[in-house]
Amino acid sequence: MSVQFELRCPVSADLAFIRDLVRVGGRHAGLTGERLDHLVLAVNEAVTNVLDHGGAAGLVTARGTQEGITVEILDLAGRLSADHLATARIDPTGAHGFGLWVIQHLCDRVGLEQTGLGSLLSLHLHRHPTTSVRSLRRSGRERQPAR
C-alpha cells in the first residue's frame, strides 16, 4: 500500500520539528485522523522522557511497515528499563509521570531493548487498530509491553 521509507532525526528540545517529521512519516505510512494523532503524541511523550529523565541525547527513527509504522526512540543514557514500562500507572494526584502509560495505551505494540548504545523504545502503530486492541481499550485493562 505504501512505499517503504525511513526517517531519522536526533533527539532535541525542538519537539515541534520532531512532531512534524513523525506526522509526515505517519501520513506516508497510511495513518490518518486519530491514529496519526496517537502516533505523534506517543513519540512526543517518548522524546520528552529522554529529555527529562534520560540522557537528553538520542535518535528518533521512523520506518514504514506493511501494517503501518514503527518509530524507535534511542536514549543514549540507557536508563529506561522493562520495569518502568511494566509499572507505568497514572497517579490522579500527580502532576506528571503519565508518559509511559500514555504511550502504551496509544500504540498497538511497545517494545524495549537494551542495546550497546542505550535504551531503544519501539512504538508500533497499524493503519487501523485491530479488534483485540479496541476491545482491550474499551475494557480498561492494561496491556503488557511487547518483549
Side-chain angles (χ1 to χ4, degrees), residues 9-20 43-53 55-60 73-74:
C9 72
V11 166
S12 77
D14 189 353
L15 292 171
F17 174 76
I18 294 171
R19 286 190 302 266
D20 289 346
V43 172
N44 185 83
E45 288 297 320
V47 171
T48 299
N49 281 346
V50 171
L51 294 170
D52 291 348
H53 308 293
L59 184 67
V60 177
I73 300 91
L74 175 66

Side-chain angles (χ1 to χ4, degrees), residues 85-101:
L85 289 177
T87 61
R89 304 280 185 267
I90 287 188
D91 176 2
T93 63
H96 56 82
F98 309 128
L100 291 175
W101 184 90

